[in-house]
Amino acid sequence: MIKKSIHFLLALALYGLLVFFIAYSYPGKENFDMTRLWPAGPEIFQSWLLTLYISLASLFFSMFTGFVLYLASVSKLPFFRYVGRIFDEIVFGSPLIVFIIAMYYFIAIPMGINNRLNVGILAFSLYMAPYMKSVLLGAMESIDANQYQAIQVLGFSKSQAYRYIIIPQILKVIFPPLIGNLTFIIKGSSLLSVIGVKELYFQIDRIQANLLLYVEGYLLMFVTYLLMTIPLVALSRWIEKKVSV
Amino acid sequence: MKINLNNINHSYHGKAILQDISLKLEHAEAIAIIGPSGAGKSTLLRLMSKIENPDAGEIFVNDIDVVLTEAKDYYKKVGFVFQSHNLFPHLTALRNITLVLEKVHNKTPQEATKLAIDLLTQFELVEHMNKKPIQLSGGQAQRVSIIRSLAINPEVMFLDEPTSALDPILTREVLRTILKLREKNMRFVIVTHELGFAKKVADYILYMEDGRIVEHGPTSILENPKTESLKEFVEFVME
Ligand SMILES: Nc1ncnc2c1ncn2[C@@H]1O[C@H](COP(=O)(O)OP(=O)(O)OP(=O)(O)O)[C@@H](O)[C@H]1O
Ligand SMILES: [Mg+2]
C-alpha cells in the first residue's frame, strides 16, 4: 500500500515538473499573476455553474433521446431501424462543433427559435443519443436469453420482470459508462461557445482577452474543467467497485 | 399425472422436428425422455411446458389444454428446470425463491421466506441462502433452481437435462436432489442422458429418435427393449 502511494506521488511530481518547466520557459513569466483574475471571479463561477447545468441537462435529455433511439433500433419495423441507423451515421460522421452550428444556424434560427442555451442543450442531447443508445444496448445485453426464459416460465408479468429483474441489473452496469458519457458532455459543452452560449470556456476566453491574461486564463480553464471531471471519474470507479461484488 | 399428446407436429424453418407424436398416459409419476442427440426431446418438453406452442396437435397435462390455456395460468401450475441454472444473478439464493412466491403466487413475504427456508433446509442448502448465484457451485445453483420451481408446489415439473452442464461429482448431488423430489411425490418429466439414473427415478420411459417416440413403456423396457433401436441405444450408452 505504502509503495503504491509513493508511486502515485512520484507520478504527480512528474506532472508538477512539467508545469514548472512550461512556466519557467514561458517568456512573459515575470508578469504571471493569477490574482489579477480575481475581479472576474463571480462571473467565472457563474459560467462554471452554467456549464455544470448544461452538462447535467444534456445528460438527462440524452437519456430520453438515447432511449427513443434504442427503441427504434430494436423495433420490429425495419423503417424505424433505418431511421435510427441513419441518425447514428450522421452523428458518428460529424464533428460535434459542426453538428451544433448546423442545428443552430440552419435549423433553429430559420424556425424562429433563438434561445441559444436551449438549442445548445437540445443539439447536445441529440448528438449524444447514439452514445446513450450504445450504453443501453450494452446494459440490455448483460441480461442473457436464459434469464428471459426463466422470467417466462416462472410466470412473471412484463412489468414485474422489469421492476424486479431487468431494471435492477441494468442500473448496476449502466453507471460507469453513463459517467463516461457525462465527462464527454462536460468537455464537449465548451463547443456551445460557437453559438454564443456564455458557458465556462466562452467566459474565460472573453475575460482573458479583455484583461490580456492568456496564460492565467487557460490555466484556470484547465483547473475548472478538471474540478468537474475528476470527481466524476472517481465516483464512477467507486460505483463500479461497489456493484461488482 | 396424466399426459395426453394428440398428433403433435412441430417444425423449425420448414424442417419437421416432431412428427405425429401421440401418447396417452393415465398414471405416470416420473417420466424420463431418452434418446440420441437431436431426437427432439427438448422440443417435446418445451411444447409440454408451453415455452412454445406446436404447429399442430393437442397437448393435455393433467387435463389442462396446454395450447389453449393462458401462459400465465399454466406457469402457475407447472415448473421448469433448464440445463443451466438460470438463477437471477443479482438476487441471493433465498430471494430467487421468494420473489416468485411473493410476486406471482401472492404469498406474503413472511410465508414466502418461511417456505423457502424450509425447503432450503430439507435440501441441505440453507447455509448458502444468502449467497449470490456466482458464489454458489454449479451443482448448488442448479439445486437452488430446482427448489425455486418446487417451491410453487407445481402439479408437474419439467426438467431438461438438469445435469448436462455439470461435472460428474456435481451431477451426483443434483441427481440426489431429483431423487428426493420423487420421494416427496413430486411428479415430473425429465430429459436425461443418465440411463442408470432414469432407471432409478422414473416409472415410465419415452424413447425418442428422429422426432418420433419409437418406444415407450414402464422402466422395465430398458431391460427388455422391444425395438432394435432402443436396444442399440441402451447398449451404446451403457458401454
Ligand atoms: N430453436 C430452434 N431453431 C431451429 N432448430 C431447432 C431449434 N431447436 C431445436 N432445433 C432442431 O431440432 C432438432 C431437435 O432438437 P432438440 O433440442 O429437441 O433435440 P434433443 O433431443 O433435445 O437433443 P440433445 O440431446 O442434443 O439436447 C435438432 O435437429 C435441432 O437442431
Ligand atoms: Mg436437448
Side-chain angles (χ1 to χ4, degrees):
Chain A
M1 251 1 249
I2 292 170
K3 254 199 179 149
K4 242 176 146 182
S5 54
I6 287 175
H7 282 277
F8 175 66
L9 289 177
L10 281 175
L12 270 189
L14 176 71
Y15 283 97
L17 226 87
L18 199 66
V19 170
F20 178 76
F21 179 75
I22 293 168
Y24 185 76
S25 53
Y26 183 68
K29 62 175 177 292
E30 308 77 42
N31 302 325
F32 181 84
D33 185 1
M34 286 300 276
T35 58
R36 287 167 60 202
L37 279 172
W38 190 246
E43 238 178 326
I44 291 171
F45 183 65
Q46 231 169 34
S47 66
W48 188 80
L49 286 179
L50 185 65
T51 285
L52 204 60
Y53 166 76
I54 291 169
S55 304
L56 292 176
S58 301
L59 180 78
F60 184 75
F61 288 117
S62 62
M63 283 195 240
F64 281 102
T65 55
F67 184 64
V68 171
L69 202 57
Y70 166 77
L71 289 181
S73 74
V74 296
S75 165
K76 288 204 175 71
L77 219 60
F79 170 75
F80 288 117
R81 293 204 301 271
Y82 282 123
V83 169
R85 275 256 288 285
I86 293 169
F87 189 77
D88 280 2
E89 295 305 325
I90 292 172
V91 164
F92 288 141
S94 60
L96 178 52
I97 192 165
V98 175
F99 192 82
I100 293 169
I101 290 173
M103 278 288 292
Y104 185 65
Y105 290 104
F106 304 141
I107 298 177
I109 295 236
M111 284 173 68
I113 307 165
N114 46 24
N115 182 323
R116 291 153 194 272
L117 180 61
N118 290 345
V119 174
I121 289 172
L122 179 68
F124 220 148
S125 307
L126 287 174
Y127 190 85
M128 288 309 290
Y131 297 95
M132 286 298 179
K133 182 199 72 177
S134 305
V135 171
L136 273 175
L137 272 176
M140 291 304 281
E141 271 161 19
S142 72
I143 299 175
D144 59 17
N146 283 336
Q147 283 196 57
Y148 288 108
Q149 222 165 37
I151 286 170
Q152 185 192 345
V153 298
L154 291 171
F156 287 106
S157 71
K158 261 222 158 79
S159 63
Q160 287 173 334
Y162 273 99
R163 169 135 181 239
Y164 299 109
I165 295 156
I166 298 172
I167 290 175
Q169 290 185 70
I170 284 181
L171 285 184
K172 285 191 174 184
V173 292
I174 216 167
F175 269 104
L178 211 58
I179 289 181
N181 276 355
L182 180 56
T183 54
F184 181 87
I185 291 174
I186 291 172
K187 291 180 287 185
S189 68
S190 59
L191 294 175
L192 293 189
S193 58
V194 297
I195 56 168
V197 176
K198 295 187 174 54
E199 45 66 60
L200 188 56
Y201 173 85
F202 184 94
Q203 285 297 50
I204 296 185
D205 192 53
R206 196 180 53 80
I207 290 162
Q208 69 188 359
N210 284 347
L211 303 175
L212 297 173
L213 294 169
Y214 290 103
V215 185
E216 291 84 348
Y218 279 120
L219 198 60
L220 187 67
M221 257 186 229
F222 259 120
V223 173
T224 45
Y225 276 106
L226 287 177
L227 269 179
M228 280 184 260
T229 52
I230 288 179
L232 283 172
V233 172
L235 178 71
S236 86
R237 294 257 159 78
W238 182 77
I239 292 175
E240 224 170 340
K241 245 193 219 155
K242 271 258 137 159
V243 300
S244 69
V245 185
Chain B
M1 80 189 119
K2 285 201 247 176
I3 302 276
N4 189 352
L5 310 176
N6 225 335
N7 283 311
I8 296 175
N9 280 281
H10 198 64
S11 57
Y12 289 121
H13 316 298
K15 187 174 157 249
I17 302 294
L18 297 182
Q19 304 177 48
D20 286 323
I21 293 204
S22 289
L23 179 77
K24 199 161 173 159
L25 296 179
E26 292 288 340
H27 299 297
E29 294 299 309
I31 300 171
I33 305 180
I34 61 171
S37 184
K41 307 181 295 293
S42 299
T43 307
L44 182 59
L45 203 70
R46 278 203 302 274
L47 298 183
M48 287 201 278
S49 50
K50 205 176 165 71
I51 291 175
E52 290 172 67
N53 277 328
D55 295 347
E58 294 173 310
I59 302 173
F60 295 90
V61 172
N62 283 353
D63 296 325
I64 303 167
D65 188 328
V66 176
V67 179
L68 293 185
T69 195
E70 286 269 341
K72 72 173 183 355
D73 296 330
Y74 191 53
Y75 290 131
K76 284 190 179 157
K77 296 182 187 150
V78 299
F80 200 98
V81 176
F82 301 88
Q83 292 193 355
S84 53
H85 63 72
N86 276 353
L87 294 177
F88 301 118
H90 63 303
L91 303 176
T92 62
L94 179 66
R95 190 65 184 138
N96 258 284
I97 300 170
T98 56
L99 187 69
V100 194
L101 293 173
E102 287 174 30
K103 304 305 169 192
V104 183
H105 297 269
N106 301 321
K107 297 243 188 297
T108 66
Q110 292 79 358
E111 288 170 339
T113 308
K114 184 176 176 308
L115 179 57
I117 291 181
D118 254 17
L119 287 171
L120 286 166
T121 311
Q122 285 174 42
F123 286 87
E124 292 159 27
L125 282 163
V126 75
E127 72 252 49
H128 304 296
M129 68 180 198
N130 290 321
K131 290 185 185 167
K132 296 269 175 74
I134 200 164
Q135 299 163 307
L136 298 169
S137 77
Q140 290 163 348
Q142 186 61 294
R143 285 155 62 209
V144 172
S145 89
I146 291 173
I147 294 174
R148 183 174 65 178
S149 315
L150 174 68
I152 68 164
N153 194 22
E155 290 184 22
V156 181
M157 277 173 78
F158 299 100
L159 302 97
D160 189 0
E161 295 189 38
T163 61
S164 66
L166 303 173
D167 64 43
I169 294 173
L170 298 181
T171 294
R172 271 227 303 277
E173 64 180 52
V174 171
L175 294 183
R176 268 219 317 273
T177 300
I178 297 168
L179 276 170
K180 207 155 169 179
L181 290 183
R182 188 80 169 86
E183 288 162 18
K184 292 165 72 74
N185 291 321
M186 177 50 62
R187 292 144 308 266
F188 55 82
V189 182
I190 184 170
V191 175
T192 181
H193 279 151
E194 319 265 342
L195 279 199
F197 176 70
K199 262 186 205 167
K200 225 187 320 187
V201 77
D203 62 353
Y204 205 87
I205 303 284
L206 302 185
Y207 173 68
M208 290 184 71
E209 213 180 281
D210 291 331
R212 297 172 204 277
I213 298 177
V214 174
E215 188 170 345
H216 62 97
T219 312
S220 58
I221 64 167
L222 291 177
E223 314 286 348
N224 301 302
K226 282 199 222 57
T227 60
E228 210 44 45
S229 359
L230 177 56
K231 192 166 167 235
E232 271 171 33
F233 181 75
V234 172
E235 278 165 9
F236 177 74
V237 175
M238 286 304 186
E239 242 165 40

